[in-house]
Amino acid sequence: MITSRGSRIAFKNARLIDPASGLDAKGGLLVENGRIADVGPRLFNDAEPHDPEVVDCRGLVLAPGLIDCRVFTGEPGAEHRESLESASAAAAAGGVTSIIVMPNTDPVIDEPSLVDFILRRAAATAKVHVLPCAALTKGLAGETMTEIGLLKEAGAIAFSDGDRSVANARVFRRALAYAATFDALVLSHTEDPELVKGASATEGEFATRLGLPAGPAIAEAMMVERDIRLVELTGARLHFAQISTGAALDAIAAAKARGLPVTCGVAAHHLTLNELDVGAYYTFRKVRPPLRSEADRAAMAEGVASGVIDVIVSSHEPQGADTKRQPFASAAAGTVGLETLLPAALTLLHDGRASLSQVLGAMTATPARIFGLTQNGVAAGRLAKGAPADLVLLDEDEPFVVDAEKLSSRARNTAFDGRKFSGRAQKTYVGGKCVFERSR
Amino acid sequence: MTSPDAILPSKHLLGIDGLSPANIIALLDLADTYVGQGRGADKKTALLKGRTLINLFFEASTRTQSSFELAGKRLGADVMNMSVKTSSVSKGETLLDTASTLNAMRPDILVVRHQDAGAAELLSRKLDCSVINAGDGAHEHPTQALLDALTIRRHRGSFEGLVVAICGDVLHSRVARSNLRLLSMMGARVRLVAPRTLLPCDADRFGVEIYTDMKQGLAGVDIVMMLRLQLERMAGAFVPSAREYFRFYGLDREKLAYAKPGALVMHPGPMNRGVEIASDIADDVLVSLISEQVEMGVAIRMAILDALARGLARDETESRGMT
């Protein structure tokens, strides 16, 4: 764990936003021994704090550090694309203080010793908290469940086959039921694998014009609906890692209304891009699930605003030039996203769809609650006394243009190169230690 | 850089998309002159003397590749054929590695066929030479559509008001996409005739009429354009069997009788006789334009090479003028 023992930092003149408590006020925050010692509207407002380190926030937003629940790295196995260290640098630059890493590595994280490996490598090299998600089935093959109990003991935060759906309903049913025994959270990727086999775009007029192999958008809602039935049968907690269609959103809204323990996320690029952004076969915008229609994109924004979508994720997926500089159908899917998660999510604020507290809540308190993130018994993802001092200082209005060459991530395959955004992280603190400061 | 007298709008020919009706008319007019040249005793000119043309084919093709080879040679170019079996792509090299290797050989024109949509476009962005798309995935096959247009125009004079039925595996067909773009642009009415499994999603948004019953689809048409159904798609994946396909979607005398009297039949080749077309129709010189399409293929490709070479020459003159 990253802590900064014995140090005191006083933040003054901040706009404190704590989505968990609804706090949005001018005030200050005191960090002691890597934890939040005090926070409040009146703190440091009158007197200057007499502390060794004082950070004048100049009215910028001070919020809990972001939690990105869907990050793919290349460690172990493809460190040339992204290591835990380089991913953590990208996270810090994006205001992200915790990353939940997917088990789709080489080897696959399906053994307790490999969970331990991730935790040790992270402790030795990463600037931010790294929380491993273990595989749900051995080798991600969708056939045999992993040792969910032992993996959880080893430190796995959740269970998922990453970007693969468990096609076999019998296997998924048993895995859910077994996971429920240990109150383990299962994450699912929802695309019917046979319906989207070979597809690199969403079926429709645009894909037809480009002549791209395409899969129907309903492949997602079909899996969501199946999984909801299995949740009903097993009582397991299920988190749909990233949905992208209005039909899936409707199914989840109905399941939530029935009181089922389901939650869901959306990727920042599905909030901000649609299928037309593929343009002339732009492979950096090839993602999985693929970009959808404008109606589906708008539904995703509405889903965050209404609260049916719980979390916003980057779905950070590093790829190299070798895998991306290919014809569209042959190119690998995925975009890096840790550094553009916050700016992309903030488009909801600037479009008038959601408040700043709502947007930040989907990347702080809510994922902390879903994944049960705590430190010494205190919930993470909030500005509360005793909570870990994982903080982001951000300017929600600062305009900038995304420049792939300036990303901290080792891989540069961003879907947003050249895109204009407003708002990004200025400083990032993990356990009271500054891990990123934007140079002026 | 294009000047007003240019036949093509850019140094590449990547698709029908991007061409104007005027571009197409100019190409067809130029091709007509090459039909005459091809029928004469001396078929060769020195228009492309010193130019290098590379045929880069990632998918097997006999007729398109040999048609480009012949067109290049008749215009005096040096032609090199590279097929995927002899290239290092099968050894794991990426398309762009291949491209930069080829670029270093300084070809003037690259003709490329690839199984992925957008491959020609990708190469055109990375190479210095002119790129001609000889088929990319299910996207475009512009030279086929142009040779079909040349064939049609020589028989019907113009495209205005013609009714053309494109029949068969539209879903996987770049020929169908390029043809419907070209024919619609030139004022013809296009119908697509296929079972639902072989129709692309949202095909109705392309300004075409969709028919799943072939007899209705052929009623009153001037031209019947058949598409090839690949063998691996017949065994239950998209249609249950070859014989069922032929029964409902194969062109035979009975179905052809629904077309306008004197209607003409086309096929891009190679044909599956008895699957999408009956042999007696394919071989009937009174209705079948299939052999003529091959002849027109060489002529249109000569016209395209000629047009691109004029652009190259102009660019070279301009860049010399600048230095």
Side-chain angles (χ1 to χ4, degrees):
Chain A
M1 234 2 76
I2 302 150
T3 51
S4 172
R5 299 225 162 266
S7 61
R8 278 164 66 91
I9 312 171
F11 294 87
K12 65 170 193 174
N13 295 328
R15 179 183 167 194
L16 300 168
I17 294 191
D18 180 34
S21 64
L23 173 72
D24 181 351
K26 267 201 73 177
L29 183 144
L30 180 66
V31 172
E32 259 178 16
N33 300 327
R35 304 183 160 277
I36 297 173
D38 204 357
V39 56
R42 281 176 299 280
L43 197 61
F44 310 137
N45 271 4
D46 310 325
E48 290 295 300
H50 302 287
D51 287 293
E53 192 183 346
V54 178
V55 178
D56 188 344
C57 301
R58 297 168 196 274
L60 294 185
V61 170
L62 186 64
L66 308 184
I67 300 161
D68 189 341
C69 318
R70 192 168 170 85
V71 173
F72 296 85
T73 80
E75 188 165 354
E79 289 83 356
H80 63 286
R81 281 182 209 153
E82 193 88 288
S83 62
L84 292 170
E85 182 180 17
S86 66
S88 80
V96 176
T97 54
S98 296
I99 57 176
I100 296 176
V101 294
M102 294 296 117
N104 308 55
T105 48
D106 182 14
V108 169
I109 309 304
D110 59 2
E111 283 278 332
S113 60
L114 291 166
V115 171
D116 190 56
F117 169 81
I118 296 283
L119 291 171
R120 282 167 190 272
R121 284 294 292 166
T125 64
K127 291 177 168 181
V128 303
H129 304 296
V130 175
L131 308 164
C133 177
L136 183 65
T137 67
K138 283 182 186 151
L140 308 175
E143 287 161 10
T144 319
M145 70 173 87
T146 53
E147 296 162 312
I148 292 173
L150 292 176
L151 287 162
K152 199 176 174 196
E153 271 184 3
I157 195 96
F159 297 84
S160 172
D161 278 0
D163 62 357
R164 297 199 196 173
S165 297
V166 179
N168 186 320
R170 175 175 46 80
V171 172
F172 197 54
R173 178 242 174 124
R174 296 235 173 94
L176 281 175
Y178 192 74
T181 315
F182 293 88
D183 192 30
L185 179 70
V186 174
L187 273 56
S188 76
H189 177 85
T190 44
E191 281 186 294
D192 185 293
E194 287 298 324
L195 264 183
V196 302
K197 199 172 191 175
S200 57
T202 304
E203 223 168 69
E205 183 183 349
F206 185 67
T208 296
R209 276 186 198 285
L210 291 192
L212 289 175
I218 56 117
E220 179 173 282
M222 278 176 59
M223 281 304 260
V224 166
E225 282 165 358
R226 182 200 76 169
D227 290 357
I228 286 169
R229 295 290 169 197
L230 294 175
V231 165
E232 208 166 6
L233 188 66
T234 59
R237 290 193 295 135
L238 181 64
H239 176 72
F240 296 105
Q242 55 170 121
I243 62 163
S244 58
T245 61
L249 182 71
D250 292 345
I252 291 166
K256 284 184 165 189
R258 278 157 58 212
L260 293 175
V262 294
T263 50
C264 69
V266 66
H269 46 264
H270 283 124
L271 286 173
T272 45
L273 301 172
N274 67 29
E275 59 186 348
L276 302 182
D277 287 305
V278 165
Y281 305 101
Y282 189 41
T283 59
F284 281 19
R285 291 187 181 148
K286 181 177 177 180
V287 287
R288 190 165 51 223
L291 294 177
R292 304 299 195 185
S293 68
E294 174 56 18
D296 279 330
R297 187 208 62 78
M300 293 300 98
E302 184 50 41
V304 175
S306 70
V308 175
I309 294 179
D310 301 275
V311 302
I312 304 172
V313 301
S314 70
S315 211
H316 181 86
E317 196 167 348
Q319 293 291 350
D322 53 331
T323 49
K324 274 291 183 188
R325 292 179 66 193
Q326 299 273 2
F328 198 85
S330 302
T335 172
V336 292
L338 280 162
E339 287 159 87
T340 46
L341 171 65
L342 176 62
L346 283 172
T347 58
L348 294 175
L349 169 73
H350 299 302
D351 292 347
R353 306 298 295 255
S355 70
L356 187 52
S357 183
Q358 260 180 309
V359 172
L360 293 175
M363 296 176 286
T364 55
T366 309
R369 176 174 53 75
I370 292 170
F371 287 83
L373 305 185
T374 58
Q375 218 176 295
N376 298 0
V378 183
R382 50 195 307 173
L383 300 183
K385 281 185 197 176
D390 298 340
L391 303 166
V392 58
L393 186 67
L394 65 97
D395 178 345
E396 79 275 22
D397 290 324
E398 187 199 355
F400 73 102
V401 179
V402 178
D403 181 352
E405 291 307 308
K406 290 184 182 161
L407 293 178
S408 308
S409 170
R410 187 166 291 164
R412 303 286 162 82
N413 58 303
T414 173
F416 295 116
D417 194 25
R419 172 100 175 203
K420 292 171 185 147
F421 282 125
S422 292
R424 57 178 168 176
Q426 301 301 324
K427 283 187 178 181
T428 309
Y429 292 83
V430 174
K433 187 180 163 206
C434 183
V435 293
F436 171 75
E437 180 168 5
R438 188 165 302 286
S439 52
R440 289 276 150 196
Chain B
M1 235 167 286
T2 54
S3 54
D5 62 323
I7 291 175
L8 288 169
S10 90
K11 65 184 276 197
H12 308 295
L13 178 64
L14 302 177
I16 297 300
D17 221 13
L19 299 183
S20 68
N23 296 144
I24 291 166
I25 296 289
L27 268 181
L28 298 184
D29 290 346
L30 185 57
D32 269 327
T33 67
Y34 284 116
V35 175
Q37 186 181 320
R39 288 175 183 174
D42 183 3
K43 297 179 169 57
K44 241 180 133 159
T45 65
L47 200 72
L48 264 61
K49 187 170 180 299
R51 299 283 185 194
T52 304
L53 170 79
I54 297 182
N55 272 330
L56 178 62
F57 278 64
F58 293 89
E59 277 184 343
S61 156
T62 317
R63 80 182 58 203
T64 305
Q65 184 172 331
S66 52
S67 181
F68 268 111
E69 184 175 356
L70 199 54
K73 284 178 173 167
R74 282 188 181 168
L75 293 175
D78 293 312
V79 182
M80 184 177 85
N81 289 317
M82 278 184 73
S83 70
V84 71
K85 285 195 190 74
T86 56
S87 83
S88 39
V89 173
S90 45
K91 299 172 197 158
E93 192 179 76
T94 70
L95 179 62
L96 288 179
D97 290 335
T98 310
S100 58
T101 305
L102 288 176
N103 209 29
M105 296 177 187
R106 299 193 152 272
D108 300 288
I109 298 173
L110 179 78
V111 177
V112 63
R113 167 169 293 185
H114 196 279
Q115 58 277 12
D116 285 340
E121 156 106 30
L122 180 63
L123 285 172
S124 75
R125 276 185 258 147
K126 304 291 173 186
L127 288 171
D128 300 325
C129 66
S130 288
V131 173
I132 299 175
N133 182 4
D136 63 327
H139 179 223
E140 283 238 38
H141 190 354
T143 64
Q144 178 71 44
L146 286 162
L147 78 87
D148 289 342
L150 180 62
T151 312
I152 292 171
R153 197 179 73 162
R154 288 171 68 87
H155 283 267
R156 289 288 186 264
S158 85
F159 303 93
E160 202 61 51
L162 281 185
V163 184
V164 183
I166 302 177
C167 310
D169 185 1
V170 181
L171 178 66
H172 300 98
S173 178
R174 49 194 173 220
V175 175
R177 280 175 182 73
S178 286
N179 261 315
L180 82 82
R181 282 184 171 110
L182 186 150
L183 292 167
S184 304
M185 197 194 321
M186 301 308 289
R189 280 170 52 203
V190 178
R191 297 178 180 181
L192 301 179
V193 181
R196 293 205 180 274
T197 46
L198 295 176
L199 281 169
C201 187
D202 289 341
D204 54 325
R205 295 207 198 154
F206 287 74
V208 296
E209 294 165 57
I210 312 275
Y211 291 86
T212 52
D213 180 310
M214 193 166 183
K215 288 172 185 171
Q216 288 175 19
L218 294 191
V221 305
D222 298 278
I223 309 278
V224 183
M225 214 176 247
M226 297 307 299
L227 298 171
R228 175 180 166 76
L229 180 65
Q230 295 201 355
L231 290 165
E232 64 269 22
R233 289 172 186 143
M234 278 180 247
F238 290 88
V239 293
S241 67
R243 67 178 186 183
E244 173 153 333
Y245 186 75
F246 184 68
R247 169 76 177 77
F248 294 101
Y249 297 98
L251 186 65
D252 54 16
R253 291 282 174 198
E254 189 201 347
K255 297 191 192 87
L256 185 58
Y258 285 80
K260 194 178 276 182
L264 298 167
V265 174
M266 304 174 77
H267 191 297
M271 285 179 284
N272 293 308
R273 289 166 184 269
V275 176
E276 69 251 358
I277 189 163
S279 271
D280 63 325
I281 293 178
D283 300 333
D284 183 344
V285 291
L286 295 177
V287 298
S288 168
L289 301 177
I290 297 169
S291 299
E292 195 175 329
Q293 283 174 277
V294 178
E295 184 187 3
M296 294 307 127
V298 179
I300 197 77
R301 287 172 180 120
M302 289 172 81
I304 291 162
L305 294 177
D306 179 353
L308 289 178
R310 291 185 204 188
L312 289 175
R314 206 163 33 236
D315 285 355
E316 286 151 6
T317 314
E318 279 172 22
S319 60
R320 264 199 302 278
M322 274 184 273
T323 48

